[in-house]
Amino acid sequence: MLALLVAACGVFEFHPYEIRGGEESLNAKALARLPRHDPERPFRFAVIGDIQLFLDDSADAVDDLARRDVDLVVQMGDLTEYGTAQEYEWVARLLEKIPAPTFAIVGNHDLMGKGGLLYQRTFGPTFQSFDYQGSRFVLFDSNSLEYGFSGEVPDVARLREALMSGPARRHTFTFSHVPPGHPDFDPDLTEPVEALQAEAGVTISFHAHTHRYASDVRRGVRYFVADALESRNYLLVTVVGDSVDVERVYY
Amino acid sequence: MARLRFVGWLVVVLGLVGGRAARAADAEVETTVETEEKARPWYVPGHAAMQLAGSIGFTSAGPGWSFLEEAVEAEVMLGWAPRAIAGADFVTLTLKGRWNPFRLRYGNWTFRPLSVGGMFSYTFGGDYFLSQPGRYPDGYYWFRTALRPALILGASVGHSARTFDLDRVEAYAELVATDFRLVQFYHNPATVKTGIVSLALGARLRF
């Protein structure tokens, strides 16, 4: 009876931006599912780009990832086109099919309407930092334009703390939707963020947003921009000791 | 500015409903539906609708107008989804239009097996925009979060209700395909599947 009621609730929508039902805290759940720490073991993770209107292409990416031996996956934001509850649900259901723990960061489209609240409910806080296999992963919100270049996005103080604190580690990887230097990234914060990432010895700074693959080195830090998933490829990162290899995997 | 315009509309609509009720109270002689329909100016609502869900609130209600013997209808609905149910308060104003190509009668029953229509729903509040805020370059977003177009497929069943001093009471169901569902379905039929529509249930009281 209860199941029937829940199923019936699914067919009703009170408002496109309703914050009701659906998945919760998926990033925290992914964190709890990370494989056991084993510093001697090489590891691999995948970085997938904008989903937006490319759900069917993304479903193929998910199928491909299911066949691959990866420790974790990070989706780079713009999970949705309109930031609506239904889109969040579609994407959450899609990403759940990846056997490896999967994290998602927030993109500008995901913040539209009440999308920010939907992101927080579905995935969790927009800032997240964790260690895995002796490397640090820092996920943050860099959608400065959505906040009218308030000077607080990205949160440089918090980023500094996450990058500079804690025990020595082999690698540091950062993940944010809009790349520094892009017109939608707070122009006053590009220099501080790039300088901070250099100072902290970030291994790779991952981004998306432009829908177009790019790669360059700034102040000794490698920057990668993942293609949108309509281009049917994602980044596969292999970490063996001090060496970090990034390849584009087409599916 | 846009919000003011909608509030203005709302006042007009509420005024019309109030006027209609007062007129009904004044009427001392019971008139037949036909003569009343003829006597009624076009802007006086001919029915009221109440609805559950349908992307425009947990509940919504408003006056409606019928033309061409109810083949073409329009409604203006004020909708609300409270925080306790929807996680945030949502207030909407919706203009619905509908074409009823068929009407079947059986005794006191009236059936409309198919209605096709559309709506524009405006959501009040600072989190939504009707014209793109100045911080964005021109054309940065191609849609408006405050204004939601949708297509509607519906059916209804009605019964005369003269004992309640009403011409007819109808129950209706609608499948509502909002813009984002249609767009996502167009691009991603395999993922969206039946998620292209949500369900609305409602009642119409015809005066």
Side-chain angles (χ1 to χ4, degrees):
Chain A
M1 186 65 204
L2 192 69
L4 202 70
L5 203 69
V6 169
C9 282
V11 304
F12 292 117
E13 181 178 73
F14 301 143
H15 191 275
Y17 289 114
E18 65 186 5
I19 303 135
R20 181 175 75 93
E23 297 292 333
E24 282 179 39
S25 308
L26 292 180
N27 280 357
K29 286 174 184 164
L31 189 61
R33 286 180 51 228
L34 278 178
R36 252 173 44 158
H37 180 71
D38 176 3
E40 297 313 307
R41 189 171 61 85
F43 71 98
R44 289 211 289 192
F45 62 94
V47 177
I48 62 178
D50 302 47
I51 293 177
Q52 289 177 258
L53 293 175
F54 323 125
L55 288 165
D56 283 358
D57 288 325
S58 304
D60 294 339
V62 164
D63 287 345
D64 194 76
L65 283 164
R67 287 193 295 270
R68 226 166 255 281
D69 179 27
V70 291
D71 294 43
L72 66 109
V73 177
V74 182
Q75 194 281 337
M76 294 304 300
D78 277 1
L79 297 141
T80 67
E81 178 74 7
Y82 300 78
T84 59
Q86 179 64 66
E87 291 174 284
Y88 268 103
E89 199 183 313
W90 285 327
V91 169
R93 242 186 274 157
L94 198 65
L95 296 181
E96 269 180 348
K97 292 183 183 153
I98 303 176
T102 301
F103 300 83
I105 64 173
V106 72
N108 54 306
H109 280 263
D110 307 322
L111 291 163
M112 304 194 74
K114 297 279 186 204
L117 292 177
L118 284 162
Y119 175 86
Q120 285 175 36
R121 187 206 57 184
T122 312
F123 292 97
T126 55
F127 193 101
Q128 191 174 12
S129 167
F130 61 89
D131 290 343
Y132 178 64
Q133 290 288 81
S135 293
R136 177 155 292 189
F137 292 73
V138 183
L139 286 53
F140 62 97
D141 181 354
S142 67
N143 304 294
S144 320
L145 179 61
E146 294 303 310
Y147 306 88
F149 296 142
S150 65
E152 286 157 21
V153 179
D155 188 338
V156 181
R158 203 156 176 202
L159 185 61
R160 169 171 290 278
E161 201 201 321
L163 292 181
M164 307 301 275
S165 69
R169 42 192 170 259
R170 202 158 228 167
H171 299 290
T172 303
F173 303 103
T174 59
F175 305 82
S176 66
H177 184 67
V178 179
H182 188 280
D184 300 343
F185 192 99
D186 195 329
D188 295 335
L189 297 181
T190 293
E191 203 279 330
V193 167
E194 287 187 3
L196 172 60
Q197 299 215 107
E199 183 189 348
V202 168
T203 312
I204 300 177
S205 182
F206 290 101
H207 308 278
H209 189 58
T210 63
H211 291 205
R212 194 169 278 262
Y213 172 83
S215 159
D216 65 345
V217 177
R218 305 176 208 167
R219 307 181 197 217
V221 177
R222 290 154 77 189
Y223 285 77
F224 279 91
V225 178
D227 262 330
L229 287 180
E230 70 172 329
S231 299
R232 299 182 66 81
N233 75 89
Y234 57 85
L235 304 178
L236 189 62
V237 186
T238 306
V239 182
V240 184
D242 288 336
S243 126
V244 179
D245 180 57
V246 179
E247 66 174 308
R248 293 168 82 187
V249 174
Y250 286 81
Y251 55 87
Chain B
M1 257 336 271
R3 207 175 309 166
L4 277 179
R5 256 204 314 277
F6 274 93
V7 171
W9 264 106
L10 185 63
V11 170
V12 169
V13 165
L14 292 177
L16 285 176
V17 176
R20 175 71 186 83
R23 219 175 63 105
D26 287 346
E28 288 174 7
V29 186
E30 208 173 60
T31 53
T32 65
V33 179
E34 283 72 21
T35 55
E36 198 178 350
E37 262 182 9
K38 283 197 182 89
R40 182 187 291 154
W42 67 269
Y43 52 83
V44 176
H47 67 268
M50 282 148 287
Q51 185 174 300
L52 169 76
S55 295
I56 59 171
F58 173 66
T59 56
S60 51
W65 295 263
S66 302
F67 309 95
L68 307 174
E69 296 184 350
E70 297 182 7
V72 175
E73 299 192 287
E75 277 146 17
V76 177
M77 308 280 277
L78 185 64
W80 179 47
R83 180 180 293 266
I85 293 172
D89 276 294
F90 298 100
V91 179
T92 65
L93 189 65
T94 303
L95 177 65
K96 278 170 121 180
R98 185 168 52 252
W99 177 49
N100 309 310
F102 316 108
R103 177 162 58 174
L104 309 173
R105 285 205 174 99
Y106 183 78
N108 285 327
W109 294 92
T110 308
F111 300 94
R112 283 201 193 81
L114 174 78
S115 301
V116 290
M119 69 177 191
F120 284 97
S121 182
Y122 175 82
T123 303
F124 294 89
D127 287 334
Y128 320 97
F129 61 82
L130 197 55
S131 54
Q132 197 169 266
R135 62 176 180 270
Y136 298 111
D138 280 350
Y140 191 79
Y141 290 117
W142 57 278
F143 50 89
R144 309 273 169 260
T145 47
L147 190 66
R148 184 124 276 151
L151 295 179
I152 295 170
L153 204 62
S156 68
V157 54
H159 193 273
S160 64
R162 299 210 186 274
T163 44
F164 299 103
D165 217 15
L166 291 167
D167 180 26
R168 209 179 327 130
V169 175
E170 288 175 5
Y172 68 87
E174 287 176 346
L175 297 174
V176 181
T178 42
D179 56 346
F180 65 91
R181 288 173 187 260
L182 288 164
V183 169
Q184 286 283 16
F185 181 77
Y186 174 78
H187 290 281
N188 307 288
T191 303
V192 173
K193 293 181 190 141
T194 57
I196 188 172
V197 289
S198 72
L199 181 65
L201 299 175
R204 274 188 281 270
L205 309 177
R206 295 192 184 273
F207 312 133

